Amino acid sequence: EAQGATPCARLCSGSTGRSLTNWNDLSGTSGLVTDVNISGCGFVKIPTITTSIEGNGHHWKLLGTSSVYHATTTSFRLYLDHSTIDIRKEFAREMEWNIEWMAVGFTC
């Protein structure tokens, strides 16, 4: 994709929040999925997105913490699994897992 104008470059960051992350169980398997809203950033082209998981435990063995799916100018999706235990949304909420993210893109 063509680069935008340099004056229009923007760094935008956020968190889904410890008690606010909308985790959903993957159907038929262990794992989680969530969509992250970045519409407030005002991107006009799909940004480059970097993610990490923050919480109170067990997140150091998560898989997929930096694998962004379905990125658009307004949202992206993250799928997570764990290397040693089955995870479900209740466990993620108990551990207060949330997504910390940064997006770099263009607003014009």
Side-chain angles (χ1 to χ4, degrees):
E1 188 171 325
Q3 181 177 338
T6 302
C8 301
R10 178 171 186 205
L11 169 65
C12 188
S13 63
S15 172
T16 56
R18 286 187 167 197
S19 61
L20 302 174
T21 305
N22 186 27
W23 297 110
N24 293 291
D25 294 330
L26 287 176
S27 179
T29 185
S30 172
L32 302 169
V33 61
T34 191
D35 292 314
V36 179
N37 182 341
I38 61 170
S39 62
C41 297
F43 294 121
V44 296
K45 297 181 182 214
I46 297 172
T48 299
I49 302 166
T50 303
T51 61
S52 66
I53 304 298
E54 191 271 337
N56 289 329
H58 296 277
H59 54 293
W60 70 283
K61 286 192 172 185
L62 284 171
L63 307 170
T65 59
S66 61
S67 300
V68 173
Y69 286 84
H70 308 294
T72 70
T73 58
T74 60
S75 68
F76 66 90
R77 179 172 286 179
L78 217 58
Y79 293 94
L80 298 179
D81 201 357
H82 199 279
S83 62
T84 58
I85 61 174
D86 286 344
I87 55 172
R88 294 286 176 220
K89 62 185 176 185
E90 293 81 14
F91 185 74
R93 289 182 184 130
E94 180 183 329
M95 292 293 107
E96 295 187 317
W97 292 346
N98 63 98
I99 300 168
E100 306 286 332
W101 58 269
M102 294 188 309
V104 177
F106 296 95
T107 56
C108 60

